[in-house]
Amino acid sequence: KEQDGQKQVQVFIDGRHVEVNPLKARQVFKDEDDTDRGVVFILTRVGSKVVLDSKQHGLVVESDGRYVQVQVPNDYRGKMSGLCGNFDGEEVFEYEGPSQEVYRSPFDFGLSYRIPSKDCQEDDNKGLSVMRNARITRLNDFNKKETCFSKTPIPRCPEGYGKTEFEVRRLEFHCVPTELESTE
Protein backbone atom coordinates (compact mmCIF):
# COMPACT_ATOMS: atom_id res chain seq x y z
CA LYS A 1 0.00 0.00 0.00
CA GLU A 2 1.08 3.58 -0.52
CA GLN A 3 0.30 6.31 1.97
CA ASP A 4 1.68 9.86 1.77
CA GLY A 5 4.15 8.73 -0.92
CA GLN A 6 5.60 6.07 1.40
CA LYS A 7 5.25 2.34 0.91
CA GLN A 8 3.21 0.91 3.78
CA VAL A 9 3.93 -2.68 4.80
CA GLN A 10 1.38 -5.03 6.32
CA VAL A 11 2.52 -8.32 7.87
CA PHE A 12 0.23 -11.14 8.95
CA ILE A 13 1.52 -14.09 11.00
CA ASP A 14 -0.95 -16.94 11.58
CA GLY A 15 -3.72 -14.58 10.42
CA ARG A 16 -2.77 -11.98 13.03
CA HIS A 17 -1.82 -8.47 11.86
CA VAL A 18 1.61 -7.49 13.20
CA GLU A 19 2.77 -3.86 13.13
CA VAL A 20 6.14 -3.18 11.50
CA ASN A 21 8.12 -0.26 12.86
CA PRO A 22 10.88 0.94 10.49
CA LEU A 23 12.98 2.14 13.41
CA LYS A 24 12.80 -0.79 15.81
CA ALA A 25 12.83 -4.61 15.67
CA ARG A 26 9.60 -6.21 16.82
CA GLN A 27 9.53 -9.40 18.83
CA VAL A 28 6.63 -11.64 17.87
CA PHE A 29 5.44 -14.14 20.48
CA LYS A 30 3.40 -17.27 19.90
CA ASP A 31 0.77 -15.75 22.18
CA GLU A 32 0.90 -11.97 22.52
CA ASP A 33 -0.83 -12.24 25.91
CA ASP A 34 1.81 -14.70 27.22
CA THR A 35 5.27 -13.21 26.56
CA ASP A 36 6.93 -15.73 28.93
CA ARG A 37 6.64 -18.45 26.26
CA GLY A 38 9.48 -16.95 24.22
CA VAL A 39 10.02 -15.10 21.00
CA VAL A 40 9.03 -16.98 17.85
CA PHE A 41 10.04 -14.31 15.30
CA ILE A 42 11.94 -11.07 15.17
CA LEU A 43 10.44 -8.70 12.61
CA THR A 44 12.52 -5.82 11.27
CA ARG A 45 12.20 -3.32 8.47
CA VAL A 46 15.34 -2.22 6.64
CA GLY A 47 14.51 0.42 4.01
CA SER A 48 11.85 -1.07 1.77
CA LYS A 49 12.64 -4.62 2.90
CA VAL A 50 10.91 -6.55 5.69
CA VAL A 51 12.85 -9.36 7.39
CA LEU A 52 11.21 -12.09 9.45
CA ASP A 53 13.80 -14.10 11.41
CA SER A 54 13.08 -17.17 13.52
CA LYS A 55 16.15 -18.43 15.38
CA GLN A 56 13.95 -21.16 16.87
CA HIS A 57 13.13 -22.60 13.42
CA GLY A 58 16.23 -21.46 11.50
CA LEU A 59 13.96 -19.57 9.11
CA VAL A 60 14.62 -16.19 7.48
CA VAL A 61 12.08 -14.57 5.13
CA GLU A 62 12.93 -11.30 3.35
CA SER A 63 10.60 -9.33 1.10
CA ASP A 64 10.55 -5.94 -0.57
CA GLY A 65 6.87 -6.31 -1.52
CA ARG A 66 7.72 -7.61 -4.96
CA TYR A 67 10.23 -10.40 -4.37
CA VAL A 68 10.48 -12.88 -1.51
CA GLN A 69 13.53 -14.82 -0.42
CA VAL A 70 13.15 -17.74 2.00
CA GLN A 71 16.12 -19.37 3.73
CA VAL A 72 15.74 -22.59 5.69
CA PRO A 73 18.27 -25.02 7.18
CA ASN A 74 18.93 -28.44 5.65
CA ASP A 75 16.70 -29.99 8.34
CA TYR A 76 13.77 -28.94 6.11
CA ARG A 77 15.08 -30.82 3.04
CA GLY A 78 12.22 -32.78 1.47
CA LYS A 79 9.72 -31.54 4.09
CA MET A 80 8.50 -28.42 2.29
CA SER A 81 5.91 -27.61 -0.34
CA GLY A 82 4.45 -24.51 -1.92
CA LEU A 83 5.60 -21.63 -4.05
CA CYS A 84 9.19 -21.94 -2.81
CA GLY A 85 9.42 -25.55 -4.00
CA ASN A 86 9.79 -28.75 -2.03
CA PHE A 87 13.52 -28.39 -1.24
CA ASP A 88 14.35 -31.98 -2.17
CA GLY A 89 17.31 -31.15 -4.43
CA GLU A 90 15.52 -32.45 -7.53
CA GLU A 91 14.59 -29.76 -10.06
CA VAL A 92 12.14 -32.06 -11.89
CA PHE A 93 9.45 -31.75 -9.21
CA GLU A 94 10.15 -28.20 -8.01
CA TYR A 95 6.96 -26.98 -9.69
CA GLU A 96 4.63 -29.25 -7.73
CA GLY A 97 1.21 -27.69 -7.24
CA PRO A 98 -1.04 -27.82 -4.17
CA SER A 99 -2.64 -31.08 -5.32
CA GLN A 100 0.73 -32.72 -6.12
CA GLU A 101 0.36 -32.00 -9.87
CA VAL A 102 3.65 -31.17 -11.60
CA TYR A 103 3.86 -28.08 -13.81
CA ARG A 104 6.40 -27.38 -16.53
CA SER A 105 5.75 -23.65 -16.65
CA PRO A 106 6.62 -21.42 -13.66
CA PHE A 107 3.69 -19.18 -14.67
CA ASP A 108 1.15 -22.02 -14.45
CA PHE A 109 2.78 -23.23 -11.22
CA GLY A 110 2.32 -19.78 -9.69
CA LEU A 111 -1.31 -19.64 -10.80
CA SER A 112 -1.99 -22.95 -9.07
CA TYR A 113 -1.39 -21.27 -5.69
CA ARG A 114 -3.59 -18.21 -6.28
CA ILE A 115 -6.02 -17.63 -3.46
CA PRO A 116 -9.45 -16.23 -4.27
CA SER A 117 -10.02 -12.80 -2.85
CA LYS A 118 -13.22 -10.79 -3.00
CA ASP A 119 -11.13 -7.59 -2.99
CA CYS A 120 -8.98 -8.64 -5.95
CA GLN A 121 -11.95 -9.72 -8.02
CA GLU A 122 -13.69 -6.42 -7.38
CA ASP A 123 -10.54 -4.45 -8.24
CA ASP A 124 -9.64 -6.15 -11.49
CA ASN A 125 -13.13 -7.42 -12.41
CA LYS A 126 -11.70 -10.81 -13.42
CA GLY A 127 -12.49 -14.30 -12.23
CA LEU A 128 -9.82 -16.45 -10.70
CA SER A 129 -8.61 -19.07 -13.15
CA VAL A 130 -8.41 -22.61 -11.85
CA MET A 131 -5.90 -25.24 -12.92
CA ARG A 132 -7.44 -28.43 -14.29
CA ASN A 133 -6.25 -31.29 -16.46
CA ALA A 134 -7.74 -31.22 -19.95
CA ARG A 135 -10.00 -34.16 -20.78
CA ILE A 136 -10.89 -35.33 -24.27
CA THR A 137 -12.63 -38.38 -25.72
CA ARG A 138 -11.46 -39.84 -29.02
CA LEU A 139 -11.35 -43.00 -31.12
CA ASN A 140 -7.97 -44.75 -30.99
CA ASP A 141 -6.18 -46.56 -33.82
CA PHE A 142 -8.33 -49.67 -33.17
CA ASN A 143 -11.57 -47.66 -33.45
CA LYS A 144 -12.18 -47.98 -29.68
CA LYS A 145 -13.40 -45.01 -27.64
CA GLU A 146 -10.87 -43.73 -25.11
CA THR A 147 -10.72 -40.85 -22.64
CA CYS A 148 -7.47 -38.87 -22.47
CA PHE A 149 -6.24 -36.60 -19.68
CA SER A 150 -3.49 -34.02 -20.02
CA LYS A 151 -0.41 -34.85 -17.96
CA THR A 152 -0.14 -31.23 -16.85
CA PRO A 153 -3.01 -28.96 -15.78
CA ILE A 154 -4.01 -25.87 -17.72
CA PRO A 155 -5.81 -22.70 -16.55
CA ARG A 156 -9.59 -22.74 -16.96
CA CYS A 157 -12.09 -19.94 -16.53
CA PRO A 158 -14.40 -20.26 -13.52
CA GLU A 159 -18.12 -20.59 -14.04
CA GLY A 160 -19.68 -17.39 -15.33
CA TYR A 161 -16.46 -16.03 -16.88
CA GLY A 162 -15.20 -16.17 -20.45
CA LYS A 163 -11.75 -16.30 -22.02
CA THR A 164 -10.06 -12.97 -22.70
CA GLU A 165 -7.00 -14.38 -24.46
CA PHE A 166 -5.82 -17.58 -26.07
CA GLU A 167 -2.52 -19.38 -25.93
CA VAL A 168 -1.40 -22.39 -27.97
CA ARG A 169 0.30 -25.12 -25.92
CA ARG A 170 1.58 -28.57 -26.67
CA LEU A 171 0.25 -31.05 -24.11
CA GLU A 172 1.04 -34.68 -23.45
CA PHE A 173 -1.94 -36.92 -22.72
CA HIS A 174 -2.50 -40.23 -20.98
CA CYS A 175 -5.37 -42.24 -22.51
CA VAL A 176 -7.45 -45.07 -21.06
CA PRO A 177 -10.45 -46.99 -22.39
CA THR A 178 -13.61 -44.91 -21.87
CA GLU A 179 -15.56 -47.82 -20.40
CA LEU A 180 -13.35 -47.81 -17.28
CA GLU A 181 -15.15 -46.55 -14.20
CA SER A 182 -12.27 -44.14 -13.40
CA THR A 183 -12.97 -42.06 -16.54
CA GLU A 184 -16.41 -40.94 -15.32
Side-chain angles (χ1 to χ4, degrees):
K1 275 183 166 182
E2 292 235 359
Q3 185 176 9
D4 300 327
Q6 296 251 21
K7 199 180 239 186
Q8 299 297 310
V9 178
Q10 292 188 6
V11 175
F12 292 86
I13 299 176
D14 285 335
R16 177 178 51 164
H17 183 257
V18 179
E19 291 292 327
V20 184
N21 186 333
L23 304 174
K24 183 176 155 190
R26 164 87 190 264
Q27 294 181 336
V28 180
F29 300 91
K30 182 173 179 103
D31 181 353
E32 290 295 315
D33 297 327
D34 183 6
T35 56
D36 294 334
R37 295 186 67 184
V39 175
V40 179
F41 298 105
I42 296 176
L43 188 62
T44 54
R45 182 166 180 186
V46 182
S48 64
K49 196 180 275 191
V50 174
V51 180
L52 182 76
D53 189 352
S54 174
K55 303 285 187 225
Q56 177 182 352
H57 299 290
L59 168 73
V60 178
V61 179
E62 294 182 24
S63 177
D64 64 0
R66 186 171 178 178
Y67 297 100
V68 175
Q69 180 176 352
V70 179
Q71 299 171 23
V72 294
N74 277 329
D75 298 353
Y76 287 88
R77 189 164 294 284
K79 297 177 184 172
M80 297 181 64
S81 63
L83 281 173
C84 295
N86 57 16
F87 196 44
D88 68 355
E90 296 289 331
E91 288 185 29
V92 175
F93 297 111
E94 277 309 298
Y95 294 144
E96 185 176 79
S99 302
Q100 285 73 49
E101 66 278 17
V102 178
Y103 295 87
R104 290 193 178 146
S105 154
F107 178 78
D108 291 342
F109 170 67
L111 284 178
S112 74
Y113 280 97
R114 285 175 55 184
I115 299 171
S117 167
K118 188 180 112 196
D119 295 338
C120 290
Q121 287 186 6
E122 285 177 359
D123 288 345
D124 65 15
N125 210 16
K126 295 179 186 173
L128 182 65
S129 62
V130 292
M131 302 303 288
R132 297 283 183 255
N133 292 76
R135 177 181 172 172
I136 59 171
T137 304
R138 69 176 191 176
L139 292 177
N140 65 17
D141 295 337
F142 304 103
N143 213 25
K144 297 280 184 185
K145 200 173 185 184
E146 61 185 10
T147 301
C148 304
F149 301 91
S150 64
K151 291 183 179 180
T152 54
I154 57 174
R156 298 283 181 127
C157 295
E159 197 173 309
Y161 290 88
K163 297 175 188 167
T164 57
E165 56 186 58
F166 295 89
E167 182 179 318
V168 177
R169 296 183 186 199
R170 292 188 61 79
L171 296 174
E172 291 182 44
F173 284 83
H174 176 74
C175 299
V176 293
T178 298
E179 66 266 6
L180 292 178
E181 206 172 289
S182 61
T183 62
E184 294 177 9

